[in-house]
Amino acid sequence: MLRTLPKTRDFTELQRVAMIAVFTVLMIIFTQIKIQTVPVPFTMQPFAVLLAGLVLGGRDGALAMATYVGLIALGFPVDSNNIGAAALAGPTAGYIFGFVLAAGVVGFLTERGAERFWLRFAAGLVGIAVIYVFGTAFLKFHLGVDWSKAWELGVRPFLGLDILKALIAAGLAEGTRRFLLQTLLPTDKMNNG
């Protein structure tokens, strides 16, 4: 049965912070795996968002993504265009803000019983939908286009690949969780989880 990290209440704050930091760094790395398309680049960001929610749970998954957004707000060039804070006012800002809620929603759903692969996959699809809602809405208003044009620019080209990312994240969630528990946390804490 999949259990997200927050289900085990024995973790110290330092251990939780370490897990959040790991997923913040993963997000930064996956952001740089990209194919530059305009106005929305293809990146591995949705995969990192989904995995964070599936492994860390709602609270810590959202905190990992909020940390990522906070780094951008502070001017660190960790966004897909490497422009720092300006990304939060650009055409893809909705996606960036949507990452936080998406990780939270995916984690929340996972904590509520996504012990089977197909339930984790369904939670991932909901997360992708959350990212698209925020991203497409902001893209529409930022570019001054209609909804169908926003869909064509910000969803349609990515939909199939993002569904695949949700599928892979669902498949890797439990193994990633176990690896992190074994690597970053003491064995006695892992046995209690």
Side-chain angles (χ1 to χ4, degrees), residues 152-167:
E152 286 298 314
L153 292 171
V155 176
R156 194 182 61 74
F158 308 101
L159 190 56
L161 291 172
D162 284 343
I163 291 170
L164 181 60
K165 291 173 197 172
L167 188 70

Side-chain angles (χ1 to χ4, degrees), residues 102-166:
V105 167
V106 169
F108 175 82
L109 293 173
T110 302
E111 291 169 346
R112 301 302 179 274
E115 62 271 351
R116 293 198 170 109
F117 169 81
W118 71 271
L119 291 170
R120 294 191 303 268
F121 177 54
L125 293 177
V126 171
I128 293 295
V130 169
I131 293 169
Y132 284 161
V133 165
F134 277 82
T136 307
F138 196 88
L139 189 65
K140 177 204 181 313
F141 293 110
H142 188 272
L143 298 179
V145 296
D146 62 22
W147 286 107
S148 106
K149 184 66 173 175
W151 170 270
E152 286 298 314
L153 292 171
V155 176
R156 194 182 61 74
F158 308 101
L159 190 56
L161 291 172
D162 284 343
I163 291 170
L164 181 60
K165 291 173 197 172

Side-chain angles (χ1 to χ4, degrees), residues 61-135:
L63 282 171
M65 294 305 109
T67 302
Y68 169 73
V69 174
L71 291 171
I72 294 171
L74 290 172
F76 289 93
V78 294
D79 59 282
S80 61
N81 291 315
N82 302 318
I83 57 175
L88 300 180
T92 60
Y95 297 97
I96 295 169
F97 290 116
F99 294 155
V100 178
L101 184 60
V105 167
V106 169
F108 175 82
L109 293 173
T110 302
E111 291 169 346
R112 301 302 179 274
E115 62 271 351
R116 293 198 170 109
F117 169 81
W118 71 271
L119 291 170
R120 294 191 303 268
F121 177 54
L125 293 177
V126 171
I128 293 295
V130 169
I131 293 169
Y132 284 161
V133 165
F134 277 82

Side-chain angles (χ1 to χ4, degrees), residues 172-187:
L172 293 177
E174 181 62 17
T176 301
R177 179 188 176 276
R178 284 187 184 148
F179 172 78
L180 289 173
L181 287 171
Q182 292 170 353
T183 304
L184 298 176
L185 300 176
T187 304

Side-chain angles (χ1 to χ4, degrees), residues 13-70:
E13 290 301 312
L14 183 59
Q15 290 166 328
R16 284 185 56 229
V17 168
M19 295 295 185
I20 291 167
V22 165
F23 276 90
T24 302
V25 170
L26 281 176
M27 182 62 165
I28 291 167
I29 292 168
F30 287 162
T31 297
Q32 298 310 312
I33 301 172
K34 63 186 172 189
I35 297 171
Q36 195 60 49
T37 55
V38 176
V40 181
F42 168 82
T43 71
M44 290 300 292
Q45 290 171 305
F47 176 77
V49 170
L50 300 179
L51 199 58
L54 288 167
V55 173
L56 298 181
R59 176 187 57 194
D60 290 352
L63 282 171
M65 294 305 109
T67 302
Y68 169 73
V69 174

